[in-house]
């Protein structure tokens, strides 16, 4: 059966955690804007949404934004169904050109972020320009009267790390503008411990207070096949380091729920497929989702699994405790019950199975 979500099903799903599967229908072509399309996740989204937007071979019309060029990534993504626009998210420069050249999107997926915690600590104002999408939100509201559905990628760093399997409700928000004192509230011990988490929490507050038609997805570590990006990819670094034959230390007491990049792509495809013009947000609807993998894993757990799959000597992966000075949540594992219940039929990929897809499948 093909996956099909009618407008009222998607709306009902956000409110009562229920979607339907139909075998005799299809999702029409949508116009999707991917903000941050040259980042790691963004590249997969642009490619897959343009190629097989509904999962049945009918691609969507896609536009994507980028800030810097020169790596060949932009040219590699542009195609008959994918257009590129240079945008400065801090100033908003270039957003009007998107509206003029692409028109009104049905959905906007915002995966642009300064996601390196150290850089956020060193340059918080620069990081805020990207991580708190104020210019994007104001443009969507001004230019399109808030009609496009905004799908915003947040982070598990929003949790303080004091407990396992955090739920979305563990970090609550009062809907206000974070910079005006409406940053929201957290359960005791679950405040962000670094600037990256604080900025992403501020972003969630800004979106909730200023843009009704949204959904927020708190992602964990994203891994998958390699792409041309400026930063080091954790899985590929692990494989290279372990393959060198040298002993490598991995934290055994810091936990995340790493998620396979194609699982995120599939969730975004389901969300876009469920959108129709005129979608009305109902009072009390669920708009925040933990987006993690099915397992609570330390970096050592991931390294040990990689050794087993790739044939690296197990002794090369050494389990060590994380130094106290590192500013990151010790346990950012997330309960994804709400995600599973809302997107019925979606099941995230276990780490061992994803390794097969990444390293063994053509």
């Amino acid at each position: 059966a093909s996956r099909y979500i009618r407008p009222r099903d998607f709306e009902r799903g956000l409110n009562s955690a229920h979607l339907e599967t139909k075998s005799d229908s299809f999702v029409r072509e949508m116009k999707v804007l991917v903000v941050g399309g040259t980042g790691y996740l963004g590249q997969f989204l642009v490619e897959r949404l343009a190629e097989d937007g509904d999962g049945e071979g009918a691609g969507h019309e896609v536009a994507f934004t980028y800030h810097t060029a020169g790596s060949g990534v932009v040219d590699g993504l542009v195609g008959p169904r994918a257009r590129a626009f240079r945008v400065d998210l801090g100033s908003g420069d270039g957003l009007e050109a998107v509206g003029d050249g692409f028109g009104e999107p049905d959905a906007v997926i915002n995966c642009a972020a300064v996601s390196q915690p150290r850089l956020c600590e060193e340059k918080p104002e620069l990081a805020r320009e990207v991580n708190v999408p104020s210019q994007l939100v104001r443009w969507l509201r001004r230019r399109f009267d808030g009609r496009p559905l905004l799908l915003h990628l947040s982070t598990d760093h929003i949790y303080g790390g004091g407990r396992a399997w955090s739920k979305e409700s563990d970090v609550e928000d009062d809907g206000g503008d974070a910079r005006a004192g409406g940053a929201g509230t957290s359960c005791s011990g679950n405040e962000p411990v670094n600037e990256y988490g604080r900025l992403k929490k501020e972003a969630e507050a800004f979106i909730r207070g200023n843009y009704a038609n949204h959904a927020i997805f708190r992602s964990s570590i994203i891994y998958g096949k390699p792409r041309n990006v400026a930063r080091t990819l954790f899985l590929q670094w692990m494989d290279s380091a372990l393959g060198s034959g040298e002993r490598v230390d991995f934290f055994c007491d810091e936990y995340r729920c790493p998620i396979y990049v194609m699982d995120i792509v599939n969730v975004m495809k389901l969300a876009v497929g469920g959108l129709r013009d005129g979608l009305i947000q109902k009072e009390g609807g669920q708009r925040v989702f933990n987006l993690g993998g099915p397992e609570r894993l330390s970096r050592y757990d991931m390294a040990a699994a990689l050794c087993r799959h790739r044939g690296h000597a197990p002794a090369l992966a050494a389990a060590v405790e994380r130094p106290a000075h590192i500013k990151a949540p010790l346990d950012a594992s997330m309960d994804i019950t709400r995600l599973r219940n809302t997107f019925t039929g979606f099941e995230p990929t276990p780490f061992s199975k994803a390794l097969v897809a990444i390293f063994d499948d053509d």
Side-chain angles (χ1 to χ4, degrees), residues 40-254:
Y40 182 69
L41 172 60
Q43 292 182 44
F44 286 94
L45 286 169
V46 171
E47 292 170 356
R48 295 310 174 98
L49 288 168
E51 289 175 4
D52 60 347
D54 63 2
E56 299 294 333
H60 295 308
E61 185 178 354
V62 178
F64 66 93
T65 73
Y66 67 96
H67 186 234
T68 57
S71 64
V73 174
V74 174
D75 291 342
L77 292 173
V78 169
R81 307 186 67 80
R83 304 174 60 184
F85 294 87
R86 189 181 186 280
V87 170
D88 185 321
L89 290 176
S91 66
D93 290 347
L95 287 172
E96 287 302 323
V98 178
D100 294 340
F102 185 63
E104 180 174 333
D106 295 292
V108 178
I109 305 175
N110 180 32
C111 52
V114 176
S115 58
Q116 299 94 328
R118 180 179 296 179
L119 183 56
C120 292
E121 297 289 336
E122 296 172 349
K123 300 180 178 180
E125 289 305 317
L126 176 64
R128 174 176 282 108
E129 291 184 353
V130 179
N131 289 348
V132 182
S134 55
Q135 294 292 342
L136 174 66
V137 166
R138 290 171 179 139
W139 172 71
L140 289 172
R141 199 171 57 184
R142 180 182 65 251
R143 177 84 187 235
F144 306 117
D145 200 27
R147 287 183 296 272
L149 175 65
L150 175 60
L151 304 172
H152 175 75
L153 272 295
S154 189
T155 177
D156 57 359
H157 276 240
I158 200 168
Y159 299 112
R163 64 172 63 89
W165 302 113
S166 290
K167 298 179 181 292
E168 293 87 349
S169 58
D170 289 341
V171 174
E172 298 175 347
D173 188 284
D174 61 10
D177 185 332
R179 300 198 71 181
T185 60
S186 295
C187 295
S188 177
N190 229 348
E191 289 289 345
V193 298
N194 58 23
E195 189 66 16
Y196 176 50
R198 287 187 287 270
L199 288 174
K200 296 298 273 188
K201 182 177 180 181
E202 181 180 323
E204 290 190 16
F206 185 87
I207 292 169
R208 285 178 167 181
N210 293 276
Y211 200 83
N213 195 17
H214 72 269
I216 294 168
F217 297 85
R218 295 171 178 167
S219 172
S220 185
I221 295 174
I222 303 172
Y223 67 93
K225 291 188 176 183
R227 283 294 185 272
N228 186 359
V229 291
R231 63 183 175 85
T232 301
L233 298 173
F234 181 65
L235 181 66
Q236 280 69 31
W237 171 81
M238 280 201 306
D239 188 49
S240 176
L242 292 167
S244 71
E246 299 292 326
R247 180 182 181 272
V248 186
D249 291 342
F250 294 96
F251 301 150
C252 62
D253 56 348
E254 178 186 291

